[in-house]
Amino acid sequence: MEKNKEFFVAEILKWYEKNKEFYPWRSENDPFKILLSEILLRKTDRKKVAILYPQISEYIGSPIKIVNTDLKKLEEFLKPLGLYKERARQLKQAAEFILNQFNGRIPENLNDLLKIPGVGRYTANAVLCFAHKKRVPLIDANLIRILKRYFNLTSNKSRERDDRLFWEFISDIIPPDHTKEFYYGILDFSNQICRAKNPKCSNCPLNSYCSYYKINSENFNKKILIKK
Ligand code: SF4
């Protein structure tokens, strides 16, 4: 791997080790609970899911528990997360499908995972990575933003997350022994440092090789001088 890519991966892992955020699903080994948390995390603040997680795990933490829960009760239970009607219906369908088609077990291959109602490519790959420890690309807006800034990548696709450029690029750099930590690192790094607005470039451990920082460093230095 090129030096710049090696540096990027090593620094993300190092940064994550010191600055990781703790969420209960990150230490989870049960593939169904990992799938469930991925579904609930869509369009939802992670902190809200974290607060409800102990109850989620206990009361609806398996396909059979969801199937046996009345739809209205499930909706009530999911209300604090928003989109509760849609989510409750989706969880019911997914749980029934998993029970009927896979005997309650979460498949370990992409094709079967994609058959589960409500499971798209990102969620399927998240399950493969976080539950089954597979080295797969996990492309979302945060990762794309960081890659574009750091490596100066550009995409002309209207839906950037489908651009082969990012899939191939990330497939090349995912660290085989720390895939999970790398993606959680990217998530937390994008939340704390390389934010969509006002990235903290001056305090960023990647800034010595970051293209965005190089291009904008004159402006950053001016801002620092003005503050002084
Ligand atoms: Fe993101 Fe700025 Fe760090 Fe580059 S230097 S990776 S743009 S925070």
Side-chain angles (χ1 to χ4, degrees), residues 113 137 142-143 163 199 227:
L113 279 165
N142 294 314
L143 177 69
D163 195 333
K227 273 188 185 167

Side-chain angles (χ1 to χ4, degrees), residues 9-173:
V9 173
E11 287 301 316
I12 289 288
L13 289 174
K14 228 194 280 175
W15 180 90
Y16 178 66
E17 196 46 42
K18 287 188 197 146
N19 302 283
K20 64 177 90 164
E21 297 173 18
F22 290 91
Y23 296 101
W25 52 88
R26 288 192 178 178
S27 50
E28 198 58 83
N29 288 317
D30 179 336
F32 181 76
K33 289 183 183 170
I34 290 172
L35 170 63
L36 182 59
S37 59
E38 286 299 328
I39 292 174
L40 297 179
L41 283 163
R42 289 180 200 151
K43 297 183 189 165
T44 311
D45 182 349
R46 288 186 274 181
K47 289 182 184 135
K48 277 191 186 173
V49 182
I51 291 168
L52 204 63
Y53 193 81
Q55 290 154 275
I56 291 173
S57 179
E58 186 174 346
Y59 296 113
I60 57 166
S62 72
I64 192 79
K65 283 182 180 172
I66 293 182
V67 167
N68 289 337
T69 304
D70 177 71
L71 183 64
K72 283 279 168 220
K73 257 194 184 163
L74 194 56
E75 285 178 0
E76 200 59 36
F77 189 72
L78 297 171
K79 217 169 190 172
L81 302 181
L83 304 169
Y84 60 96
K85 281 183 187 281
E86 189 186 320
R87 285 190 218 264
R89 202 184 54 245
Q90 206 174 60
L91 286 181
K92 274 269 181 203
Q93 286 175 349
E96 274 161 19
F97 190 88
I98 292 164
L99 268 184
N100 294 335
Q101 301 297 317
F102 303 126
N103 220 6
R105 297 178 70 84
I106 301 299
E108 292 194 32
N109 68 79
L110 183 65
N111 286 343
D112 282 344
L113 279 165
L114 289 174
K115 289 177 191 162
I116 300 172
V119 172
R121 188 71 192 265
Y122 180 87
T123 306
N125 274 3
V127 171
L128 289 175
C129 173
F130 301 135
H132 300 309
K133 300 180 175 52
K134 309 252 186 202
R135 188 179 175 271
V136 289
L138 207 48
I139 312 285
D140 72 352
N142 294 314
L143 177 69
I144 290 175
R145 180 175 71 251
I146 297 174
L147 293 182
K148 280 171 72 177
R149 285 176 175 170
Y150 184 86
F151 293 101
N152 201 19
L153 302 180
T154 48
S155 169
N156 52 15
K157 299 271 186 233
S158 53
R159 223 177 104 88
E160 287 186 325
R161 64 182 60 194
D162 293 336
D163 195 333
R164 279 173 63 93
L165 168 79
F166 297 116
W167 287 79
E168 284 167 10
F169 197 91
I170 203 67
S171 299
D172 183 38
I173 67 173

Side-chain angles (χ1 to χ4, degrees), residues 146 149-150 189 193-194 199-201 204 206-207 210 212-213:
I146 297 174
R149 285 176 175 170
Y150 184 86
F189 188 75
I193 305 287
C194 198
K200 292 182 174 173
C201 296
C204 174
L206 300 179
N207 67 15
C210 174
Y212 180 92
Y213 187 71

